[in-house]
Amino acid sequence: MKPHPITEAPQDAAARKAVRPVICYPVESLPRPDLAAYRAVREDLELVERVVVPPREAACFNAPAGHFFRILSVEGPQVGDLNLFNADDLDERLYTGKTRALNGTHVGLGDQLFSTFPAMRPIATITHDTLDWYGFDDFGGAVHDVIGTRCDPYTHNLLSHGGQYHHCCHSNLTRAFARQTGKPLDEASRYIHDVVNVFMCTGFTRDTGQYFMKASPVRPGDYLEFFAEIDLLGCLSVCPGGDCSAEHSSDTAACHPLVVEIYKPARLPEGWARPPLNGYDGTHGV
């Protein structure tokens, strides 16, 4: 949060502030998915698995390359925290910082989620979003952010002066990932990473630049759909804040389950191939 300034503004302050911004990563040079090819195979899908994630808990799922997976609202407004891993190499996982830099603060139809170095490649493509009508509201809020890190017991402990809360999304994801992989909790916890905040409505306040949340516009029947570019292990937490209209670590907020559905298309998108590992040679100038 920016403090009240104690430094007197220089004479050219207005001119300095008026300098026009430059986009860091021009999307014109970024290879884009052929969204029409993905959407052309959505009409003939076979449901192969359905995973129900209970309130204030998390669950893992597998989405093989070439499959679609959907996160669905089924009972009431609810947000979820999504982690994604390369199912064959858990060290390659979702990199929200680079995904944000390449797509923006919130992701939606046609955006791709990128993985960590050194693989750094698209691992999932968003192929449908029933909330794409929301856009940005008058407060600067939008849905499906890659800003927030996930609610966690460490920040809760800090802000509550010593409180111990175990159903934060970080802990939910840790328990589910440990069950799935057989890793001990302390090791599993280190694999949990910054998330896609599915259905969560967030932004930054214009006066202080603080991260805010507001009631999610999601309703039963809404879903966010992805295409798995590689074999994925997903882990989804049902946030203890419910629709995040008040707080995001709570035993009293109304919470509802979320559902993950995995679909196999009758055919693969025309021209599709699994993304290769990043082409950087790794020598770092040596």
Side-chain angles (χ1 to χ4, degrees), residues 108-109 128-135 143-144:
L109 183 63
H128 199 78
D129 175 15
T130 64
L131 293 177
D132 64 355
W133 56 267
Y134 193 89
V143 293
H144 314 314

Side-chain angles (χ1 to χ4, degrees), residues 61-65 69 84-87 123-124 228-234:
F61 60 92
N62 286 101
F69 64 98
L84 292 174
F85 303 84
N86 178 341
I123 57 174
E229 300 286 349
I230 64 172
D231 293 335
L232 291 174
L233 171 64

Side-chain angles (χ1 to χ4, degrees), residues 19-178:
V19 173
R20 295 183 64 83
V22 176
I23 299 298
C24 294
Y25 296 100
V27 295
E28 294 79 12
S29 62
L30 179 68
R32 304 301 295 181
D34 182 358
L35 193 58
Y38 291 94
R39 296 183 64 81
V41 302
R42 292 180 69 250
E43 305 308 317
D44 191 6
L45 300 176
E46 174 192 356
L47 176 64
V48 295
E49 187 177 9
R50 191 173 192 266
V51 178
V52 178
V53 189
R56 297 183 177 86
E57 290 294 345
C60 290
F61 60 92
N62 286 101
H67 287 56
F68 293 87
F69 64 98
R70 295 175 181 172
I71 300 174
L72 300 93
S73 168
V74 290
E75 290 185 10
Q78 178 65 50
V79 307
D81 286 41
L82 177 66
N83 267 190
L84 292 174
F85 303 84
N86 178 341
D88 301 313
D89 178 7
L90 298 176
D91 288 330
E92 182 184 2
R93 63 197 81 165
L94 173 65
Y95 185 2
T96 58
K98 194 58 68 177
T99 297
R100 180 174 62 248
L102 292 172
N103 292 290
T105 57
H106 299 74
V107 292
L109 183 63
D111 286 333
Q112 294 191 300
L113 309 184
F114 286 82
S115 63
T116 47
F117 303 155
M120 203 215 155
R121 54 178 170 170
I123 57 174
T125 300
I126 298 177
T127 49
H128 199 78
D129 175 15
T130 64
L131 293 177
D132 64 355
W133 56 267
Y134 193 89
F136 282 88
D137 61 33
D138 291 342
F139 302 97
V143 293
H144 314 314
D145 84 60
V146 281
I147 311 167
T149 56
R150 65 204 172 274
C151 56
D152 68 89
Y154 308 100
T155 306
H156 178 84
N157 180 272
L158 181 67
L159 297 178
S160 64
H161 305 288
Q164 303 293 321
Y165 186 69
H166 307 300
H167 289 277
C168 297
C169 287
H170 179 91
S171 295
N172 295 349
L173 294 165
T174 296
R175 293 192 303 274
F177 185 76

Side-chain angles (χ1 to χ4, degrees), residues 85 96 136 196 221 250 263 286:
F85 303 84
T96 58
F136 282 88
V196 178
S250 169
Y263 291 90
V286 177

